[in-house]
Amino acid sequence: MHWFGFGFNGFGQISQADVSGQTVKCNVNTPVLLSEMCRSCVIRSDCRVRGSWSSRADVHHTDCGSHVCVSGFVSGSSEVRGGIFPESLGCTDALISERYLTLNFTDRVECWEIQHPQNKLVWKREQDLSDNTGHLVTLPLVSGGYVTPKTPFFRPLCSDLCAVSLALGSEHAVLLTSDGTVYSWGSGSHGQLGHGALTSQEEPQVLEALWGVPIRAVSAGNWHSASISRNTEQPINEDEKKQADVFISIQAFPALVDVPNVLEISRISCGSRHTAAVSGTGDLYTWGWGHYGQLGHGTENSTDEPTLVDYFASHRMCVKDVVCGLWNTFVSAVPKEQPPSRQE
C-alpha cells in the first residue's frame, strides 16, 4: 500500500523535493507519493496518516513497535522537520494540530507541544482501563471523554452516548453512537450542525433530521460536516456548499449527495472547505474548494459536484482510505488486481 498527497505543501508536509532535487511548489494539484520522513521506515499498509494545516503525522506500527513520524512546520525552527517524534514510542494512535501532537497509549494519553529544540509535555491523563464499553474507539475519543488540540485538552462525555466515533471541526463536533445515531454541538454559524438553524449548541444534540437513518461514519471540516448512512451508503452533507470562489450558500439541514455512477461509499473525510469520498469499488471523488490543488484534479479550480480523481483510475490503483488535512488530502491506495489471463 502507498500513501499519496496533494494540496497545500507550503511546509513540505507532502513532499520536500522532487526527483531533480528541486523544492516542490507550494500547491500540489495532482497526487504524489508522500515523502518518507522516517528514513528507517517505509510507509506501508499499517501506517495511518494524520494532517493539519502545516504538518503531517504518520503513525507507524511495525514488528519492532509503534511510533510517530512528524513532518512540516515546527515552532522555533527555520527549517521543516522530518523524523521520529521520540516521545511517541509505543503509542497506538496520534492526532496533530498546528501546535500540539496528541499521543494515545494503552494506559495514558499525552499532549506534547511540538517545538525546537525540545518538545514539551503540556498535558497528561491516565487511561481508566476498566472503562471498557466493548466498542473500539480511536482519537479524539479516550476513556471518559475526548481530547481537543486546545485547552482544556480533555472534555468529558456522557457514557450513555456509547460513542464509537468523533469528528472535530474547527469549532464544532460530530459524534456517532454505537446504534448509528448522530449528535453535533459547537458553532452552527454555517449550518454545520445540521439542526436547521445557524445557532450554536453547547451540549451534544441529536441530529433529528437523520433520526431513523443509521449512520456508519462521520467527518467534520471547518464549516461543514458529512456522514455515510448504512442503508444507502451515500454521503450526506450537513454543510455549506461552495459554488465559486466568492459565493457560499448555507445548507443547515442534511442533504443526500449524488455521486454519479456510484452505488456505495466506504470512506468520507472533510477538509477545511472540501470533501473526499472513496467508493465501494476503490475510486476517489472530491469536491469543494480547490484553491491549493486539494481536489487532486490537476487544477486549482473548485467544484460543487463530486468528481472522480482520474489519477488513481488511470494508474490502475484501488483507493483504500482518505484523510483530509485543512488544505490538503492524503490517500492510501494499492494496485488493482489484474484479471487472470485467458488460457489459449
Side-chain angles (χ1 to χ4, degrees):
M1 181 179 292
H2 300 286
W3 278 91
F4 297 81
F6 43 95
F8 181 66
N9 187 45
F11 299 95
Q13 62 268 54
I14 294 176
S15 181
Q16 294 186 10
D18 61 19
V19 293
S20 64
Q22 300 298 316
T23 301
V24 172
K25 294 180 179 179
C26 178
N27 300 353
V28 179
N29 57 33
T30 191
V32 298
L33 276 171
L34 292 184
S35 298
E36 295 175 6
M37 295 304 170
C38 305
R39 300 305 177 188
S40 60
C41 302
V42 176
I43 299 180
R44 54 188 222 178
S45 59
D46 48 6
C47 169
R48 176 71 172 172
V49 173
R50 305 282 196 173
S52 67
W53 177 69
S54 63
S55 304
R56 181 184 107 221
D58 304 336
V59 185
H60 293 269
H61 298 279
T62 69
D63 296 336
C64 299
S66 57
H67 62 269
V68 175
C69 291
V70 174
S71 61
F73 176 77
V74 177
S75 177
S77 174
S78 60
E79 300 179 355
V80 296
R81 173 175 179 160
I84 295 177
F85 196 85
E87 296 80 6
S88 70
L89 299 179
C91 74
T92 60
D93 198 5
L95 287 178
I96 193 167
S97 65
E98 297 314 302
R99 187 174 178 183
Y100 302 107
L101 180 69
T102 302
L103 302 172
N104 195 31
F105 298 85
T106 303
D107 60 346
R108 68 192 188 280
V109 58
E110 298 176 348
C111 185
W112 289 82
E113 184 174 3
I114 309 170
Q115 59 182 12
H116 178 81
Q118 183 70 41
N119 300 314
K120 179 181 179 182
L121 179 64
V122 295
W123 177 83
K124 178 179 178 180
R125 178 183 170 88
E126 300 298 326
Q127 297 269 40
D128 184 359
L129 300 181
S130 65
D131 183 17
N132 186 357
T133 61
H135 304 293
L136 181 63
V137 297
T138 58
L139 288 177
L141 289 174
V142 294
S143 174
Y146 64 100
V147 291
T148 69
K150 52 189 175 183
T151 57
F153 295 108
F154 173 81
R155 300 184 183 184
L157 274 177
C158 177
S159 60
D160 293 341
L161 289 174
C162 298
V164 295
S165 179
L166 178 66
L168 297 179
S170 59
E171 296 180 337
H172 78 291
V174 182
L175 180 145
L176 179 66
T177 70
S178 58
D179 64 0
T181 301
V182 177
Y183 290 78
S184 63
W185 66 98
S187 173
S189 60
H190 289 77
Q192 61 264 52
L193 300 184
H195 299 309
L198 306 184
T199 56
S200 300
Q201 298 290 334
E202 294 295 327
E203 300 295 331
Q205 178 175 331
V206 67
L207 216 165
E208 295 182 358
L210 294 180
W211 193 263
V213 181
I215 300 297
R216 57 184 293 264
V218 295
S219 186
N222 271 12
W223 293 346
H224 72 294
S225 306
S227 60
I228 306 175
S229 69
R230 292 178 183 171
N231 296 332
T232 64
E233 302 289 340
Q234 289 286 339
I236 298 171
N237 267 16
E238 307 140 27
D239 62 295
E240 49 84 19
K241 291 181 63 179
K242 187 159 188 355
Q243 298 186 351
D245 284 340
V246 295
F247 178 74
I248 296 176
S249 64
I250 301 297
Q251 180 176 296
F253 276 117
L256 193 65
V257 176
D258 180 25
V259 183
N261 304 315
V262 172
L263 298 178
E264 179 184 351
I265 295 294
S266 62
R267 302 278 185 172
I268 194 80
S269 185
C270 296
S272 173
R273 292 159 64 185
H274 75 289
T275 306
V278 181
S279 73
T281 56
D283 290 319
L284 179 68
Y285 290 80
T286 59
W287 63 100
W289 190 45
H291 179 73
Y292 292 96
Q294 60 264 52
L295 302 186
H297 300 148
T299 71
E300 295 165 11
N301 297 331
S302 302
T303 177
D304 271 350
E305 303 298 326
T307 304
L308 176 70
V309 179
D310 291 325
Y311 177 91
F312 298 102
S314 64
H315 286 75
R316 296 195 55 79
M317 301 198 76
C318 179
V319 175
K320 294 296 185 180
D321 199 5
V322 62
V323 179
C324 291
L326 290 179
W327 293 353
N328 43 36
T329 307
F330 303 102
V331 177
S332 66
V334 298
K336 288 186 176 179
E337 295 182 2
Q338 298 291 335
S341 59
R342 180 177 296 177
Q343 299 294 326
E344 299 294 339

